[in-house]
Amino acid sequence: MGTDEKYPIPNTQYPNHLDMKFIYSIFALLFVANLVIAQPLNRSTYAFKISQAEEQVEKKDYYQALVLYEEAYTESKDKALSITIAELHMLVKDYRDAERAYARALRRDKEDVLVEHRFNYGRALKIMGKNDKAIEEFDKFIAATSDPVKKELAEMEKAGAEFAKLAQPVRDLTVVNAGKKVNNKKSEYSPHLSPDGKKLYYTGFPLEEVTEVDENSEDWQTKIYVSDKGDGGFGEGTPLDERINRPEVFNSNARLSPDGKQMVFTEQTLIGNDLGTSKLYTSTYGVDGWGARQEAKGGLAETFVKSPSFGEHLGQKVIYFAANIEGEGEGGLDIFKALDKGNGEFGDPVNLGPKINTPGDEDTPFYRDGMLYFASTGHPGLGGYDLFQAEWDGQRWSEPANMGQGYNSGADDLSAMLDSEGYSGVFTSNRISQGARSLHGKTCCTDIYFFTLKKIEASVLATTFDEKTQEPLNGVTVELVKIEEESTSSMDSKTNGAANSFDFPLELDLGWMLIATAENYEPDTVTFNTVGLLDSKVYQEKLFLNPLPKYITLEHEKPFELENIYY
């Protein structure tokens, strides 16, 4: 409608880009430079630039198209180009300039001809932290649209903006940029820590700057890197060898099994700046490192697989992954699972259903101890992609919970991965923050971030005493009982013949009971709970045992006379 018909562009509502989404085409500057050389200024006309820009959009090379459209706008001041430029800025994740271009176009739209674009304008405002204005734009869009899917997405975005206004930083969470040795000005993504935490696997580009290279060069596509942890943190990453990284394709999305012996990853190709194909591969770690890549067999052999990750479901090994499978999803990218049969063979894909998936995009799943972590644009969030978690209770997934401010920002936050204890890990973000590096604009490119959550621990130190003498009482047995909503269960029992103290570790957010028993004493109990702890705590509990009554038996050998009893 309106300018879309004159200057057609793809639908930018959660487009299906390559994992780095913010890829800056190495050839964008080369294309424009060559164009200027070939066409002197007096011949490089407005119409010519528009036709060239449209051609680049058809090729899905949005950076080249954007440069050409902006040059045409600078030359002509054609206000009709503003929406096209705004949509392209959204596609390349330059949200600041997208917001400005939308505002320039929509402030003159008195008759609401461009009302459909208020959805993305609202998204840009929300990502830039202007939530009140974003809510206004979503309300206008919701009132005008007749598309039920777009309306649902807009309502979710509005809910996210309202959530963002109230969100508080996650308590005791520390988030740190991985630094220049790992991150460069382009995108790094899909980070994964080895089980011992000493190696960081991630996907990145071999070249930091935009340089003149042959389009067919094998050296510009993404590779899977590994960085070793030393005394000063993680060092500069080195690409895995040709057994994993194949030339002339995008090697990406490496994840390890919990024991670190298996790897799943993808081989991807591009159509312009969009993801064209994404195939699943596996590798096994041996005495000489990672073995030769093996193409997936079985139900995923011909399936578009993005962001694979090892997991478990109903006691069976599975992989979770993102895909857009026609007729089998909620819309956009959805999260699926498939049975891991071993030796690189997998079962058919199974959608996780509408509790997890939405009409938006769900991506980058990671599973740990019954909890699924993933990124979504369809659940209410602070920015574009937010990180969520959902728990499997043995029968169903819980309602996904936003992981909160800190894990999430106004921008795009993806690829959360937690270590074995769950108190530290990694994720990626194109947030504006200290140490962040970006090749084009402030939000084009993702960096890797480390996070640490303060570990809260609880324990109890129980001491036993004689109630009558108030003296320490040795030789007592103390039992620790866990109290849940409808049941109790004995967790541990200790007897101390030499002293009167007993210590037990405790789980958080539960009720507890201590039962003390000893020979010739009445038992004593005490109850307490570990609900809502914000800091580590050692509970001090005293139990006092009453001595049992002592009975004395008297013997008397002389007979005694019982007097008459009258009734």
Side-chain angles (χ1 to χ4, degrees):
M1 62 186 296
T3 56
D4 280 356
E5 296 173 3
K6 187 174 181 182
Y7 309 112
I9 56 176
N11 179 7
T12 61
Q13 294 179 11
Y14 314 124
N16 180 20
H17 287 318
L18 181 64
D19 277 22
M20 55 285 223
K21 293 183 179 65
F22 326 102
I23 174 176
Y24 190 85
S25 172
I26 289 179
F27 309 108
L29 297 184
L30 299 177
F31 175 86
V32 176
N34 291 336
L35 176 65
V36 172
I37 294 171
Q39 300 289 334
L41 186 60
N42 60 349
R43 294 177 58 197
S44 182
T45 64
Y46 170 83
F48 178 77
K49 285 184 177 178
I50 292 298
S51 67
Q52 290 295 307
E54 291 175 350
E55 182 180 324
Q56 298 312 308
V57 169
E58 287 296 317
K59 294 179 179 179
K60 299 185 178 181
D61 205 332
Y62 306 129
Y63 277 100
Q64 293 188 30
L66 182 56
V67 171
L68 288 163
Y69 275 124
E70 287 187 325
E71 284 190 358
Y73 177 81
T74 300
E75 183 178 311
S76 68
K77 302 302 179 185
D78 183 354
K79 305 300 184 185
L81 289 174
S82 293
I83 282 292
T84 302
I85 290 171
E87 298 284 83
L88 287 168
H89 276 302
M90 287 295 287
L91 280 167
V92 301
K93 305 295 182 179
D94 190 347
Y95 303 120
R96 183 189 63 178
D97 286 349
E99 177 204 337
R100 292 173 178 174
Y102 280 123
R104 187 169 61 233
L106 294 173
R107 73 167 61 101
R108 295 184 303 276
D109 185 32
K110 305 303 182 184
E111 298 180 1
D112 282 339
V113 175
L114 303 176
V115 69
E116 286 290 317
H117 295 285
R118 293 191 181 275
F119 175 79
N120 269 344
Y121 182 32
R123 289 185 63 222
L125 288 163
K126 174 169 164 268
I127 289 170
M128 296 306 296
K130 301 177 181 180
N131 292 295
D132 287 326
K133 179 62 176 173
I135 290 169
E136 291 179 16
E137 294 302 318
F138 291 133
D139 280 338
K140 291 176 184 178
F141 177 83
I142 290 167
T145 187
S146 59
D147 186 323
V149 174
K150 291 181 180 179
K151 184 175 182 179
E152 182 180 349
L153 287 170
E155 288 170 343
M156 283 291 187
E157 290 284 4
K158 178 183 175 181
E162 292 169 339
F163 168 70
K165 291 173 62 177
L166 303 174
Q168 297 295 317
V170 175
R171 183 183 174 93
D172 297 321
L173 174 69
T174 302
V175 176
V176 179
N177 188 285
K180 294 182 179 180
K181 290 183 178 179
V182 173
N183 294 319
N184 63 34
K185 292 181 180 179
K186 295 182 186 176
S187 287
E188 294 75 32
Y189 59 99
S190 296
H192 192 98
L193 293 166
S194 61
D196 61 6
K198 296 180 179 180
K199 292 182 181 294
L200 172 68
Y201 292 84
Y202 64 95
T203 303
F205 288 91
L207 301 174
E208 177 167 357
E209 302 293 343
V210 176
T211 55
E212 187 168 354
V213 295
D214 182 352
E215 183 174 338
N216 296 317
S217 169
E218 64 182 55
D219 294 327
W220 72 275
Q221 292 95 344
T222 57
K223 299 180 186 298
I224 296 169
Y225 287 76
V226 61
S227 169
D228 292 312
K229 188 175 185 180
D231 293 338
F234 284 96
E236 186 173 342
T238 56
L240 299 180
D241 62 29
E242 66 280 358
R243 290 178 292 181
I244 300 298
N245 287 315
R246 179 184 166 194
E248 300 181 18
V249 295
F250 291 86
N251 307 277
S252 56
N253 302 141
R255 293 284 200 185
L256 306 188
S257 59
D259 62 6
K261 295 179 180 179
Q262 303 293 322
M263 177 192 291
V264 286
F265 61 99
T266 57
E267 174 185 299
Q268 301 175 325
T269 60
L270 288 182
I271 300 174
N273 294 121
D274 275 5
L275 185 58
T277 63
S278 188
K279 294 182 68 66
L280 177 64
Y281 283 80
T282 66
S283 177
T284 301
Y285 197 84
V287 293
D288 60 345
W290 291 106
R293 54 163 53 200
Q294 300 293 325
E295 192 170 345
K297 299 173 290 191
L300 300 184
E302 303 299 327
T303 302
F304 179 104
V305 173
K306 189 173 183 287
S307 311
S309 183
F310 290 98
E312 182 268 342
H313 184 73
L314 297 177
Q316 294 182 307
K317 293 181 179 180
V318 300
I319 66 162
Y320 294 97
F321 61 95
N324 188 352
I325 301 176
E326 187 174 355
E328 296 189 29
E330 302 299 320
L333 287 171
D334 279 6
I335 295 176
F336 291 77
K337 68 176 185 288
L339 184 64
D340 183 355
K341 299 180 179 181
N343 298 318
E345 184 175 357
F346 300 92
D348 293 331
V350 178
N351 191 289
L352 294 196
K355 183 69 72 71
I356 300 296
N357 296 313
T358 70
D361 284 332
E362 281 69 45
D363 202 353
T364 65
F366 174 76
Y367 178 89
R368 177 188 173 276
D369 290 346
M371 193 75 74
L372 182 70
Y373 303 86
F374 63 98
S376 174
T377 63
H379 295 284
L382 300 176
Y385 274 100
D386 266 29
L387 292 168
F388 292 83
Q389 60 186 29
E391 188 172 12
W392 179 258
D393 67 0
Q395 294 183 316
R396 60 186 64 85
W397 292 106
S398 67
E399 195 69 35
N402 190 293
M403 291 182 67
Q405 185 177 332
Y407 293 109
N408 292 313
S409 66
D412 298 286
D413 305 284
L414 303 101
S415 299
M417 181 265 169
L418 284 74
D419 68 4
S420 58
E421 289 192 332
Y423 287 93
S424 60
V426 287
F427 64 88
T428 61
S429 179
N430 63 329
R431 64 185 61 186
I432 300 172
S433 68
Q434 183 177 2
R437 309 176 72 198
S438 197
L439 186 63
H440 178 76
K442 292 187 176 182
T443 53
C444 87
C445 306
T446 54
D447 276 355
I448 294 171
Y449 289 81
F450 295 110
F451 69 85
T452 303
L453 188 64
K454 186 175 78 173
K455 188 174 183 179
I456 299 176
E457 297 179 306
S459 62
V460 59
L461 177 63
T463 47
T464 53
F465 298 87
D466 185 302
E467 171 69 23
K468 187 174 182 179
T469 66
Q470 299 292 298
E471 293 294 324
L473 182 62
N474 300 346
V476 177
T477 297
V478 175
E479 181 184 10
L480 177 69
V481 177
K482 180 166 65 175
I483 304 172
E484 298 181 281
E485 288 186 4
E486 298 180 357
S487 64
T488 61
S489 52
S490 178
M491 303 302 294
D492 198 359
S493 179
K494 295 181 179 180
T495 302
N496 193 342
N500 74 320
S501 60
F502 307 79
D503 61 276
F504 300 94
L506 302 170
E507 298 175 45
L508 301 180
D509 297 317
L510 289 170
W512 297 96
M513 176 188 293
L514 294 171
I515 303 173
T517 57
E519 187 176 357
N520 296 323
Y521 283 85
E522 295 178 354
D524 190 24
T525 63
V526 63
T527 58
F528 59 99
N529 69 75
T530 55
V531 176
L533 283 184
L534 299 178
D535 292 292
S536 295
K537 181 176 180 178
V538 178
Y539 291 81
Q540 307 277 347
E541 300 293 345
K542 296 181 178 181
L543 295 108
F544 295 88
L545 285 74
N546 268 313
L548 291 172
K550 293 183 178 180
Y551 296 95
I552 301 175
T553 302
L554 299 177
E555 294 184 1
H556 187 65
E557 295 181 354
K558 293 182 179 181
F560 63 91
E561 181 179 349
L562 182 64
E563 297 182 357
N564 294 331
I565 300 175
Y566 299 95
Y567 296 94

